[in-house]
Amino acid sequence: MPGWVRINRTYAQRLRIAAAAKPVGAPPLAVTDPDLVDKSWVNLHRGGLDGPAFDLAFTGPLALTLSAHGLIWQDEHLLTGPEILPGYVVEALRTAPAHYLTAPRALPRRHESRPAYVFLGWGIQVFGHFLIEMLPKLLLAQAHSPSLHGAMPVLDRAMPDWFLTILRTEFGITDERAIWFDSRQEQLTLDQAILIPNLLRPGGYHPHTAPLFNAFTNRLMDHRDGETGRAKIFIARGTYRNPASVPRVLLNEPEIARIAEAEFGCTVLHPETLAFAEQVRRISNADLILGQAGSAMHLALVAPAQARIGVLRFMAPDQSFIAALRGQSIAYLTQGIAETAPAQFIADPERFRRFVHALMAD
């Protein structure tokens, strides 16, 4: 049922899409050997990542202003609630306010009166942020499109080509079916904006997220392949570097990939070389996925239940929340990974072997 919520000095409609529910909590780690994973991460996965219940609701239409970095302003106030802005973004804003806040807010504003919905968020240049934050919001918006009453998505000219290609080929969003602005040169003031909420909050994803990804994966899968969950994949970064993301290089990744391929039957996959639909098809057929912590591993959002996910290094709990949502086993190899220079690492091959054996035996 529609309700109302106060945002600063404005009251806006709030249409609940899914009832309040506890997020799907991070599972216990599948590998707990202290010689393979630091015990602090094992303990964290014994309830330390749990979060409060929350619902999902569209909010609006209301007047908003959009600026760079996916930031949303209302009544000259930045909206920072977890339904809009992930907590780690708030921390990042504090570290560089001139870059993230002051400079973008000095740009000229362009006015838009057409009804719009806002699903863009932090990190539009980063594949991982697209997967864990913006793709779920877009899926929610499209699944409940009648409630948007014809509002069009807002897109940013600063989005990379791969993002625009996915929107065009998988969602039918073209220049004519979107409202555009360029966050590098302007802000956009919307008269009639509907906010699409984050589905990932502290503690994990709302349970309503799972059927959205099930439907999306089924739509993109090639059902001629027969049964799913038979492939083993090692996701490699190779020479790919994204200047908009956290720099990191696993110096001996070729050796680790050869072990995964020769000893465990993995196919080495470089996602950036494949169309997004093909990435989804490959991952949706995998029962073992190995790789470095980072954006590409978040493709596990389309992997089947009971898949085993093995991650080199622990950077953030997002991968654990994905495993929880999808019903997957997850483990992290954190021991035997040595930083040889800033953002450069080497993984101990023997520990990697033992790690994969333990994960497959789970």
Side-chain angles (χ1 to χ4, degrees), residues 69-234:
H69 314 295
L71 302 184
I72 303 172
W73 306 77
Q74 201 277 328
D75 257 356
E76 302 303 315
H77 295 281
L78 179 64
L79 300 184
T80 59
E83 70 278 9
I84 302 298
L85 208 60
Y88 60 82
V89 176
V90 177
E91 293 301 317
L93 300 181
R94 293 190 179 117
T95 64
H99 174 73
Y100 292 122
L101 301 173
T102 309
R105 289 293 280 170
L107 295 174
R109 299 187 189 188
R110 183 164 59 80
H111 184 263
E112 176 60 66
S113 60
R114 289 176 293 174
Y117 70 85
V118 181
F119 76 94
L120 293 179
W122 180 263
I124 61 172
Q125 302 283 344
V126 180
F127 188 53
H129 288 290
F130 161 72
L131 289 174
I132 66 174
E133 296 167 20
M134 287 171 272
L135 178 57
K137 290 199 287 185
L138 183 58
L139 293 175
L140 184 71
Q142 295 221 328
H144 299 274
S145 59
S147 298
L148 297 173
H149 304 292
M152 292 190 292
V154 177
L155 303 185
D156 190 340
R157 297 286 181 190
M159 295 162 65
D161 289 342
W162 58 260
F163 202 145
L164 297 175
T165 299
I166 292 171
L167 293 179
R168 182 178 63 254
T169 59
E170 310 309 336
F171 294 95
I173 298 176
T174 60
D175 280 17
E176 306 78 35
R177 301 180 65 180
I179 294 172
W180 290 86
F181 84 117
D182 191 335
S183 65
R184 298 164 296 190
Q185 303 177 26
E186 62 183 353
Q187 300 177 78
L188 180 66
T189 295
L190 299 164
D191 286 344
Q192 303 179 70
I194 297 175
L195 292 173
I196 309 300
N198 285 330
L199 284 77
L200 174 60
R201 308 279 178 90
Y205 282 95
H206 191 284
H208 188 65
T209 314
L212 297 175
F213 272 99
N214 289 340
F216 178 66
T217 303
N218 287 336
R219 178 164 62 85
L220 295 189
M221 281 176 59
D222 186 346
H223 293 282
R224 293 172 299 177
D225 288 345
E227 293 186 18
T228 63
R230 299 298 182 188
K232 296 177 174 59
I233 291 175
F234 182 90

Side-chain angles (χ1 to χ4, degrees), residues 31 41 170 178 311 335:
V31 176
W41 304 130
E170 310 309 336
V311 189
Q335 306 302 84

Side-chain angles (χ1 to χ4, degrees), residues 240-264:
Y240 177 74
R241 305 289 181 268
N242 184 349
S245 186
V246 177
R248 59 188 177 278
V249 180
L250 181 62
L251 295 175
N252 67 332
E253 184 186 66
E255 179 183 7
I256 298 297
R258 282 194 298 271
I259 293 171
E261 185 175 29
E263 300 181 23
F264 298 101

